[in-house]
Amino acid sequence: MQEEIVSNFKNFRDEIYDYFTHRQDAALDLLDALSGNTAARSVVDLSLNPLNRRNYCSITRVVSEFYKNVSSTQNKHDELIKIISGHCPKLQSRPYHLFGVDCTANPRPFSPTQEDRGFVYSPAGVASKKPITIGHQYSLAAYLPEKTKGDPPWIIPIACDRVSTQEKGSLVGLHQINRCLLQKAFADKLCVSVVDSLYSNPESLSFMSPQKNHVLIARLRGNRVLYLPPDPQDHKTGRPKRFGKKFKLKEAESWPEPSEKKLLNDRNARGEDFQIQIESWDRVLMRGKKTADLSSTTMRLIKIVYLRPGSEEPLFQKPLWLIIHGERRHELSLEDIFTAYRQRFDLEHFFRFGKNNLLMDQFKTSDIQHEEAWWQLVLISYLQLYLSKELAVNMPKPWERYLSAFKTDTKISPTQVQKSFSKIIQGIGTPAKILKGHRKARGRKKGELQIKRTRHPVIVKKKIAQPAVLQV
């Protein structure tokens, strides 16, 4: 078993080594330094990591030549998707592959020379502060592996693309899912994606309709209005009705009797027992648009309520509403839908870990391609941690060794793998060659002037003008 894990990890590193077309050795050393980073708080600090056997100038060269002689960035990303999908684990007890999609911000408010900056969503901790920032937005599509209760929130990031100011983050993310479904590991198999309410609009649901083996689980806002199928007896003359009675999520009086109910028992991390009540309506409709007609597309609606133990009183003020879209949606049980959507929150753990430990948003550059290249490097470095987690051991600090989380090595978090990554590399070796000696660089000539970079305005998305109403 251990030999198989080591062999799989070495194969991945060999494939990544060949994936780089320029500066392969420096690139792999940079990835190792990033995966084993425990002290660096800036990108240049990675040059001091023992796994990076080159100076700080090599970091800039690796990033700047990531897309060198490449016809398009998407072709480069698709090549990486193919490599990563081949290392996703095989299904054990789950009958479907699970994906998650979400967007996150790369704040750059003080970079006037960088192009295509706009106002993007960024959660703020202060109540009076608006949850926005100036910068770029990135969409991440990840494979969510099977897990049991208490397992660390591991994911397998497959695709990461920047969302330009002319694009919608929801459509970029679903396009990433379509590119993942084309891979050999997921072809002709049931695939499920869990997404937030950003992806529950008619355009997103209509975009995924051609995928016959895909089911989309999206959260709905609590004020949405859906429709029941029309009653054939109501049709008399004229055009047949497309929609029946309204299904208002915030008005319980408009809810018909659910087609299925289920009650689950669960326990939180503090040992408190509670119940989860799940109700389902099999045939609901959503109003679409001219470019996204959903009038004939029936979907499944799920209502999830947490109940206090021993009573029917809800634990939270509002229920969780989910819309299930896809031809094979009825192959998922209510428990499958609930556990699948609950695993979507692992993406938030990845964003936090990536920004705190992998310096995801710390590469300061005025070149957009260099920034996109850095996000790809962070994605690969996290994959190294995932594939080597079975080889890592817990390395608690002196005051942590008595905690229950460190008494076993079977469930190791990404942070603990990062701490022991340098020892793993020292044990299995690296295909990167040792740096050869070279003469001192010539440097800048005397009197040479640097061209000032162009300053770019912040792009503000304008609302579409509504047609004027003629007053009679």
Side-chain angles (χ1 to χ4, degrees):
M1 184 66 179
Q2 195 83 352
E3 294 180 358
E4 183 180 352
I5 296 172
V6 173
S7 176
N8 184 37
F9 183 43
K10 284 185 175 181
N11 291 338
F12 173 76
R13 288 172 59 81
D14 291 337
E15 291 176 4
I16 292 299
Y17 185 80
D18 296 333
Y19 171 73
F20 291 102
T21 56
H22 296 82
R23 301 193 182 272
Q24 297 173 310
D25 303 319
L28 199 59
D29 279 357
L30 176 59
L31 288 175
D32 291 343
L34 194 56
S35 298
N37 172 42
T38 57
R41 289 296 171 258
S42 65
V43 176
V44 71
D45 283 344
L46 294 173
S47 61
L48 303 178
N49 193 298
L51 295 178
N52 190 2
R53 300 169 294 180
R54 288 155 175 83
N55 60 11
Y56 59 89
C57 299
S58 64
I59 298 177
T60 305
R61 292 166 184 155
V62 169
V63 174
S64 61
E65 297 180 14
F66 186 84
Y67 294 114
K68 189 175 180 180
N69 299 335
V70 175
S71 57
S72 68
T73 58
Q74 182 168 339
N75 291 340
K76 188 75 172 176
H77 296 176
D78 288 342
E79 186 180 350
L80 184 60
I81 291 175
K82 184 177 180 180
I83 295 175
I84 296 175
S85 61
H87 291 273
C88 291
K90 296 181 180 179
L91 295 177
Q92 301 295 329
S93 58
R94 194 167 61 189
Y96 56 88
H97 293 286
L98 184 61
F99 296 89
V101 188
D102 204 355
C103 291
T104 188
N106 185 31
R108 298 301 303 275
F110 308 111
S111 303
T113 60
Q114 194 170 43
E115 298 180 46
D116 205 34
R117 290 186 308 152
F119 290 93
V120 295
Y121 172 79
S122 179
V126 183
S128 60
K129 186 178 178 182
K130 292 184 178 180
I132 58 174
T133 186
I134 297 175
H136 296 147
Q137 192 177 44
Y138 282 82
S139 176
L140 177 82
Y143 182 86
L144 305 179
E146 297 182 56
K147 59 184 295 188
T148 58
K149 191 171 183 179
D151 285 350
W154 284 101
I155 70 169
I156 303 177
I158 298 182
C160 183
D161 296 280
R162 186 179 65 87
V163 182
S164 70
T165 54
Q166 308 301 321
E167 296 175 319
K168 288 186 177 180
S170 57
L171 295 181
V172 172
L174 296 179
H175 182 63
Q176 291 174 321
I177 291 295
N178 284 345
R179 288 153 58 194
C180 294
L181 297 180
L182 295 175
Q183 305 305 316
K184 183 178 179 181
F186 313 119
D188 301 327
K189 298 178 182 177
L190 178 59
C191 297
V192 180
S193 297
V194 286
V195 293
D196 206 350
S197 59
L198 176 69
Y199 304 81
S200 61
N201 53 69
E203 293 92 341
S204 300
L205 297 176
S206 177
F207 182 80
M208 297 304 295
S209 294
Q211 298 293 342
K212 305 302 180 182
N213 295 324
H214 180 265
V215 176
L216 185 70
I217 303 177
R219 183 171 67 87
L220 288 176
R221 298 193 310 272
N223 60 352
R224 292 287 293 270
V225 178
L226 304 177
Y227 296 85
L228 298 174
D231 191 351
Q233 297 179 356
D234 294 341
H235 176 62
K236 297 180 180 178
T237 59
R239 181 182 179 182
K241 289 185 177 181
R242 292 187 177 184
F243 304 98
K245 295 181 180 180
K246 289 185 177 181
F247 193 120
K248 298 182 179 180
L249 302 189
K250 64 178 181 180
E251 296 182 8
E253 297 80 10
S254 64
W255 304 347
E257 188 67 22
S259 57
E260 187 179 358
K261 290 184 179 180
K262 190 161 188 177
L263 198 63
L264 304 177
N265 296 319
D266 204 349
R267 177 176 295 179
N268 59 17
R270 293 177 291 184
E272 300 173 346
D273 295 324
F274 56 87
Q275 291 182 321
I276 303 167
Q277 180 182 337
I278 308 177
E279 298 176 343
S280 170
W281 291 265
D282 285 341
R283 294 175 59 83
V284 295
L285 300 171
M286 180 185 296
R287 280 197 179 274
K289 297 182 179 180
K290 291 183 179 180
T291 57
D293 185 16
L294 295 175
S295 58
S296 60
T297 304
T298 56
M299 291 171 278
R300 195 176 181 188
L301 182 65
I302 304 294
K303 175 175 170 281
I304 301 175
V305 178
Y306 281 73
L307 302 177
R308 296 184 184 277
S311 68
E312 295 186 357
E313 181 183 356
L315 189 61
F316 303 105
Q317 185 178 4
K318 298 180 180 180
L320 173 65
W321 292 96
L322 301 176
I323 193 76
I324 319 300
H325 173 270
E327 291 187 3
R328 301 178 64 180
R329 60 186 180 277
H330 292 289
E331 296 183 22
L332 302 177
S333 66
L334 296 182
E335 188 173 359
D336 289 337
I337 295 172
F338 170 71
T339 54
Y341 189 81
R342 186 163 62 173
Q343 198 172 346
R344 192 202 72 84
F345 195 74
D346 291 350
L347 293 172
E348 306 296 339
H349 290 281
F350 168 76
F351 289 141
R352 181 177 180 179
F353 176 81
K355 293 180 179 181
N356 290 347
N357 296 52
L358 297 179
L359 312 178
M360 181 183 287
D361 58 349
Q362 294 300 314
F363 193 80
K364 310 302 181 184
T365 177
S366 60
D367 193 303
I368 291 181
Q369 275 203 344
H370 294 178
E371 182 182 283
E372 294 178 2
W374 177 253
W375 279 69
Q376 300 299 311
L377 293 172
V378 171
L379 183 147
I380 299 172
S381 65
Y382 184 88
L383 256 295
Q384 289 200 128
L385 295 178
Y386 174 80
L387 295 176
S388 63
K389 61 186 178 67
E390 303 295 338
L391 306 175
V393 294
N394 274 322
M395 299 179 63
K397 297 176 182 178
W399 54 87
E400 295 176 338
R401 62 180 183 269
Y402 300 108
L403 299 178
S404 57
F406 296 100
K407 292 182 179 179
T408 177
D409 290 336
T410 57
K411 298 179 179 181
I412 301 181
S413 66
T415 304
Q416 292 301 316
V417 178
Q418 195 175 32
K419 288 181 179 179
S420 60
F421 187 79
S422 59
K423 292 187 176 180
I424 296 175
I425 295 301
Q426 291 173 8
I428 68 173
T430 174
K433 302 178 181 63
I434 300 176
L435 178 66
K436 296 181 180 179
H438 58 86
R439 61 183 177 82
K440 191 174 181 180
R442 174 181 59 84
R444 191 181 303 168
K445 291 182 179 180
K446 187 176 182 180
E448 184 179 351
L449 299 178
Q450 294 293 304
I451 301 175
K452 290 187 177 181
R453 297 189 179 106
T454 305
R455 290 176 172 261
H456 302 277
V458 179
I459 299 176
V460 181
K461 291 185 179 180
K462 297 181 180 180
K463 292 185 178 180
I464 301 175
Q466 299 294 330
V469 179
L470 181 62
Q471 299 291 340
V472 180

